[in-house]
Amino acid sequence: MNLKELAHHLNLSQTTVSRALNGYPEVGKATRRRVADEANRLGYRPNAHARRLATGRAHAIGYVFPSDRTVMIDPLFSDFVAGAADVYTSQGFETLLHAGGQEDEMSVYRRYAEGGAVDGVVVQASHVDDPRIALLNELKLPYIVHGRTGDAENTYPWLDIDNCGAFQKATKLLTDFGHKRIGLLNGLETITFALHRRQGYENALREKGLAIDESIRFSGLMTEENGYRHTKRILQQPNAPTALLLSSMLMVWGAMRAVNELGLVVGKDVSMIAHDDGLPFLSADGLVPALTTTSSSIRAAGSRVAELLLERIENPEGEVPHELWNVDLIVRGSTGQAPR
Amino acid sequence: MNLKELAHHLNLSQTTVSRALNGYPEVGKATRRRVADEANRLGYRPNAHARRLATGRAHAIGYVFPSDRTVMIDPLFSDFVAGAADVYTSQGFETLLHAGGQEDEMSVYRRYAEGGAVDGVVVQASHVDDPRIALLNELKLPYIVHGRTGDAENTYPWLDIDNCGAFQKATKLLTDFGHKRIGLLNGLETITFALHRRQGYENALREKGLAIDESIRFSGLMTEENGYRHTKRILQQPNAPTALLLSSMLMVWGAMRAVNELGLVVGKDVSMIAHDDGLPFLSADGLVPALTTTSSSIRAAGSRVAELLLERIENPEGEVPHELWNVDLIVRGSTGQAPR
DNA sequence: AATAAAATTGAAAGCGCTTTGGATAAACAA
DNA sequence: TTGTTTATCCAAAGCGCTTTCAATTTTATT
């Protein structure tokens, strides 16, 4: 049933019915109640497309993935978008996923903006030279970056965790324990979270006058297998590190497998710290030894990113939001004194 | 720029321009070319809402999650929807996620259907008594179930893997190796995939006249910690099983941790088989020992589900599709003879 | 040249809602 | 009672596209 029919049933104009249902104050109380009751009774459902056309608002948020699919398989995304979707849904917005297909990602943004398909987008997997910022600014499509780019940090909206600080603190903890050679298993360093983590790691090494050695580092996809393969490679070389810093819990299993295979003991022969995104199927404190982690909830980040974006949509000329979240360093049994 | 303006530029009617851009055969070739060129030159972008209102088609597929959030955190979903989104995007459809908020899931389906927000939905985490089937049939909203319900299997559209057969074969392999007590770590058995897996496991035990012992079983969330905790519990009791069957790779790490802690060796003291959904961050063959698995690609299932749903949308009165996919049993080093 | 058929293009209505620019009714003050 | 103000309700246009039901132009036939 559409609004016209409902209005006819009520012997009211479409204007009055629309206003009654949408909370306009100039509709009388009794009328408002009549309309609501009848809408319920007759099963009236507003047509989202008509509403969007009439208002010029999409009430939808886009998550656009490049045609290259590696980002999409990221299990972090499930949690990230779960946090966000709750916020959107509560505010009457839809969550749109765009993945795959042949269309270039930039072209998708353009089509979304100029065709009015979404009210805003979340930019993920940000790069130093990210062309999306300039494009979205040109298109005047509200957006927020989850992460950062190389642009001046007060010129575009973003939310990030302090990856640099986190890995600097983690590396410092290890150096405080006397570790002089620390391996790093990172994510793709074209993405700024991983770049910042490496920078933090290097900052801490420099502070202690320790060498930066690329041969005890890995950057790439954060999989169990890469965790295993590169931990093994790193620990088997001469002058092997006595500590490892990992960018994701997803690599921890492989890393621990490798350590065990080499007859080493985590927390004794080799210290280990990993970044914990708070994935529920993979908890850090249940491991043995319990893992020292840099911790930040990806789900909470998803929620906050959603809130900031909706505020931005509501008030596009408002202050440009940027939040840098501190990261907890939770010290558990997987870190200890460097062996002699 | 809208279509009216474009038409004005071209000195053509909106009808002709619309037809030219949408491939209607009755538009002359030269006119078609002129329109396409000018649309490109002037940056015309169709308004998706207007198009949807005019055609009555949403060109969107809904994935609706219950308000309870446990399903959404499932990392399998990332891969499942990645497979599907590629299909939808290629066909000009959007992928809509609905998670969280206060609205009841059934109410969301009703609003989607009657408000025309989506052209179809994918039903996930299906139950034996799943009320969504009846509702979607009543609403006449095209859908497909990923999994099965208790309804007669030719009365609703679904795609599933042969969970029962897979776990029956896996259990049989273990009994063939002489294992007489086999532990099962399953998913939530209110969801039919897990129920079918348990049925397969029990079928194989019955075939060999072996006891069905609930004390060596677990069903619940498939997390690393549950894998650890319940493997430990199961293996520490008197008359412990000599083999384990796990419903997800996500539990394998915990299970192996527990086995190691008990001083046992996988493949020697205890055999292990797990279900492998083909998650790229967690491969089965790279483990040591390489894991015997029941294998099926969740991403491929996502793609196929999407194809079947789009066909259903195109032809709602067509034959009701149902596909049961065989599951490979890939035998690797984690299974061996029962110890004496 | 006239007529018929085919090809191409067009006017206007409609999809279902919102909102502009009112009109009308009720309440209040002189 | 009359005039003014406030509250409540309404007609119609428009958002931007598609599609129905034509009209016009071009081509073929007699």
Side-chain angles (χ1 to χ4, degrees), chain B:
Chain B
M1 145 165 293
N2 63 27
L3 189 135
K4 188 176 182 182
E5 291 164 358
L6 180 59
H8 188 258
H9 266 95
L10 285 155
N11 212 26
L12 291 169
S13 73
Q14 293 178 61
T15 303
T16 298
V17 173
S18 175
R19 287 174 166 154
L21 292 172
N22 287 304
Y24 280 65
E26 64 260 44
V27 173
K29 277 198 175 79
T31 302
R32 188 188 305 281
R33 192 173 303 123
R34 267 184 69 213
V35 170
D37 289 347
E38 199 77 351
N40 264 336
R41 192 172 76 81
L42 298 176
Y44 164 73
R45 311 275 172 200
N47 183 302
H49 311 309
R51 165 171 283 175
R52 287 169 174 150
L53 180 60
T55 61
R57 298 288 294 269
H59 291 95
I61 303 296
Y63 285 74
V64 183
F65 293 84
S67 300
D68 161 87
R69 287 193 209 107
T70 52
V71 176
M72 192 60 192
I73 65 173
D74 190 339
L76 293 177
F77 176 72
S78 286
D79 242 33
F80 181 64
V81 82
D86 193 22
V87 173
Y88 299 137
T89 298
S90 300
Q91 297 294 321
F93 277 68
E94 300 287 357
T95 311
L96 274 178
L97 292 189
H98 188 281
Q102 309 286 11
E103 195 178 2
D104 174 60
E105 187 188 351
M106 309 295 270
S107 169
V108 175
Y109 284 125
R110 189 172 289 279
R111 176 166 61 80
Y112 271 10
E114 293 177 348
V118 299
D119 292 330
V121 292
V122 173
V123 173
Q124 302 171 96
S126 49
H127 297 73
V128 171
D129 293 315
D130 208 306
R132 292 175 288 183
I133 308 308
L135 176 66
L136 293 169
N137 284 334
E138 177 206 320
L139 292 171
K140 290 182 169 39
L141 181 63
Y143 67 95
I144 187 163
V145 181
H146 178 225
R148 266 169 293 177
T149 71
D151 300 82
E153 289 179 356
N154 58 347
T155 61
Y156 65 99
W158 56 267
L159 179 143
D160 205 359
I161 64 172
D162 185 5
N163 291 294
C164 181
F167 269 44
Q168 189 160 340
K169 279 193 289 184
T171 308
K172 183 179 184 300
L173 176 73
L174 294 170
T175 60
D176 286 350
F177 274 130
H179 296 279
K180 295 191 184 329
R181 283 175 65 73
I182 301 165
L184 173 69
L185 281 82
N186 210 1
L188 281 160
E189 286 174 1
T190 48
I191 305 178
T192 49
F193 85 90
L195 180 65
H196 293 164
R197 286 176 187 180
R198 202 189 86 224
Q199 282 167 347
Y201 157 86
E202 290 182 352
N203 287 351
L205 291 179
R206 276 195 203 93
E207 265 179 25
K208 286 297 180 73
L210 294 169
I212 292 166
D213 184 352
E214 279 182 35
S215 75
I216 56 173
R217 279 195 343 237
F218 158 74
S219 73
L221 295 182
M222 303 183 292
T223 64
E224 189 274 339
E225 187 152 349
N226 279 343
Y228 169 77
R229 175 172 297 158
H230 290 279
T231 297
K232 198 150 188 179
R233 171 181 67 79
I234 288 166
L235 292 182
Q236 275 184 312
Q237 58 188 284
N239 201 15
T242 54
L244 292 172
L245 186 51
L246 309 184
S247 260
S248 175
M249 293 292 301
L250 299 173
M251 296 195 284
V252 164
W253 188 7
M256 281 192 166
R257 258 203 309 128
V259 166
N260 290 339
E261 262 180 39
L262 296 172
L264 301 171
V265 177
V266 170
K268 192 156 95 52
D269 302 311
V270 57
S271 288
M272 191 180 292
I273 302 181
H275 184 74
D276 181 4
D277 290 288
L279 296 176
F281 66 92
L282 205 61
S283 65
D285 58 35
L287 300 175
V288 176
L291 202 67
T292 296
T293 60
T294 56
S295 284
S296 184
S297 167
I298 189 87
R299 174 184 271 268
S303 293
R304 188 58 189 151
V305 153
E307 288 168 6
L308 291 175
L309 179 54
L310 291 185
E311 282 165 25
R312 190 99 176 111
I313 286 165
E314 211 57 44
N315 187 16
E317 307 306 317
E319 207 169 316
V320 177
H322 22 85
E323 286 185 16
L324 187 69
W325 283 12
N326 200 40
V327 177
D328 296 327
L329 177 61
I330 305 177
V331 184
R332 297 187 182 102
S334 69
T335 38
Q337 289 290 339
R340 297 192 198 292

Side-chain angles (χ1 to χ4, degrees), chain A residues 144-156:
Chain A
I144 187 161
V145 181
H146 179 225
R148 267 169 292 177
T149 71
D151 300 82
E153 289 180 355
N154 59 346
T155 61
Y156 66 99

Side-chain angles (χ1 to χ4, degrees), chain A residues 110-177:
Chain A
R110 189 172 289 279
R111 177 167 59 82
Y112 270 10
E114 293 176 349
V118 298
D119 292 331
V121 291
V122 174
V123 174
Q124 303 172 94
S126 49
H127 297 73
V128 171
D129 293 313
D130 207 306
R132 292 175 287 182
I133 308 309
L135 177 66
L136 292 170
N137 285 333
E138 177 206 320
L139 293 171
K140 290 182 169 43
L141 182 63
Y143 67 94
I144 187 161
V145 181
H146 179 225
R148 267 169 292 177
T149 71
D151 300 82
E153 289 180 355
N154 59 346
T155 61
Y156 66 99
W158 56 266
L159 179 143
D160 205 358
I161 63 172
D162 185 6
N163 290 295
C164 181
F167 269 43
Q168 188 161 340
K169 280 194 289 184
T171 308
K172 184 179 182 303
L173 177 73
L174 294 170
T175 59
D176 286 350
F177 274 131

